[in-house]
């Protein structure tokens, strides 16, 4: 079975958590796209929900699918956020941000009553870090911020191998919020919480792609069906 088919299985399982009248956080990326497509089918069959998109790409896809979108304010309650992941460890901690929407994804996931992750089975890892860790940074004096990120990695015993993300045409990748993204090739992150704290202490760092202690459950699509990881209470 293809990875894409497994992603759709995970998305279909997440749809069983959706109820009429919910406000949903809509993630970004290829797996979240399956959830949006399935949600659109349910809307066309009478489901009434509202969505809060985490990127311009997601907004366009959800609108095309017929999902009503809202601009959240202080009174907004997000009942359920569904998003993909680039890596998931056995504790349910994640690396996200391969699609470049990590800040908006984390804002939505952090306020949602429930944050559910969907992924194909290949995203399951013993330890985070093989996927380059995205770090969103302010554009001002970004070289200085990048230098301090490198130093923070080395201080944690990790390779200081970082790269400013570029688009296929060679231009710097810019997020929907106007920031840059640095990808850190950490390889194996033994202490994700320590690294997350060290990176966030750097002026110029907007957010990291480490989503720690956030997921209520992770739904993996597999060749045989689905597997659900429920992180232990911490």
């Amino acid at each position: 079975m293809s990875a894409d088919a497994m992603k759709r299985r995970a998305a279909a399982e997440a749809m069983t958590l959706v109820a009429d009248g919910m406000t949903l956080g809509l993630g970004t990326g290829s797996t979240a796209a399956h959830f949006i497509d399935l949600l659109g089918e349910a809307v066309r069959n009478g489901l009434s929900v509202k969505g809060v998109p985490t990127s311009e790409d997601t907004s366009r896809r959800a609108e095309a699918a017929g999902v009503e979108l809202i601009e959240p304010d202080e009174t907004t309650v997000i009942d359920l956020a569904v998003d993909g992941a680039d890596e998931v460890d056995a504790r349910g901690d994640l690396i996200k941000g391969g699609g470049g929407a990590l800040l908006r994804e984390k804002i939505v996931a952090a306020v949602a009553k429930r944050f559910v992750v969907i992924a194909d089975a290949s995203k399951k890892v013993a330890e985070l870090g093989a996927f380059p860790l995205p770090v969103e940074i302010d554009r001002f004096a970004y070289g200085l911020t990048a230098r301090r990120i490198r130093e923070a990695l080395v201080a944690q015993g990790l390779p200081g191998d970082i790269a400013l993300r570029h688009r296929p045409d060679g231009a710097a990748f810019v997020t929907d919020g106007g920031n840059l993204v640095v990808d850190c090739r950490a390889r194996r992150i033994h202490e994700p919480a320590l690294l997350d704290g060290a990176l966030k202490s750097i002026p110029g760092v907007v957010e990291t792609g480490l989503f720690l202690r956030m997921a209520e459950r992770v739904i993996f699509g597999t060749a045989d069906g689905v597997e659900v990881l429920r992180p232990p209470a911490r």
Side-chain angles (χ1 to χ4, degrees):
M1 174 175 282
S2 69
D4 201 55
M6 289 189 281
K7 291 175 183 179
R8 195 167 185 86
R9 276 187 170 175
E13 181 68 17
M15 278 296 301
T16 66
L17 305 175
V18 176
D20 202 64
M22 278 186 168
T23 296
L24 304 171
L26 304 178
T28 295
S30 60
T31 312
H34 283 295
F35 178 78
I36 294 166
D37 291 346
L38 292 170
L39 186 64
E41 291 179 15
V43 167
R44 292 190 292 275
N45 288 323
L47 179 71
S48 177
V49 294
K50 294 180 175 63
V52 177
T54 55
S55 68
E56 298 302 322
D57 282 346
T58 292
S59 180
R60 287 188 288 269
R61 192 176 194 101
E63 286 180 339
V67 178
E68 180 183 354
L69 301 180
I70 62 170
E71 181 71 29
D73 59 26
E74 290 185 30
T75 67
T76 301
V77 175
I78 298 176
D79 300 292
L80 172 68
V82 178
D83 206 346
D86 298 303
E87 283 188 343
V88 184
D89 71 11
R91 298 175 297 185
D93 288 337
L94 321 168
I95 285 181
K96 288 177 50 55
L102 64 98
L103 174 60
R104 295 187 181 187
E105 289 173 334
K106 190 172 279 190
I107 290 171
V108 169
V111 300
K113 288 183 176 179
R114 305 171 70 187
F115 174 43
V116 172
V117 175
I118 53 177
D120 66 90
S122 71
K123 301 302 190 296
K124 188 190 307 184
V125 297
E127 194 169 43
L128 300 177
F131 188 92
L133 171 65
V135 179
E136 190 163 340
I137 65 172
D138 191 87
R139 297 169 78 170
F140 174 74
Y142 70 86
L144 300 180
T145 304
R147 183 178 71 195
R148 293 200 63 191
I149 290 172
R150 182 180 293 108
E151 291 169 352
L153 290 167
V154 171
Q156 295 286 323
L158 301 169
D161 184 7
I162 69 172
L164 184 68
R165 186 179 298 184
H166 289 83
R167 295 189 178 278
D169 63 4
F173 177 88
V174 179
T175 70
D176 289 340
N179 299 314
L180 303 176
V181 174
V182 172
D183 291 307
C184 308
R185 299 176 179 87
R187 297 187 179 88
R188 296 180 72 87
I189 302 173
H190 301 299
E191 297 287 348
L194 290 179
L195 178 60
D196 190 49
L199 292 172
K200 286 180 179 177
S201 72
I202 299 171
V205 169
V206 178
E207 191 51 87
T208 81
L210 287 166
F211 284 54
L212 309 178
R213 302 188 178 190
M214 296 183 71
E216 174 199 282
R217 71 184 70 182
V218 182
I219 302 170
F220 294 104
T222 71
D224 298 319
V226 296
E227 176 186 340
V228 180
L229 168 65
R230 289 181 172 83
R234 289 175 284 182

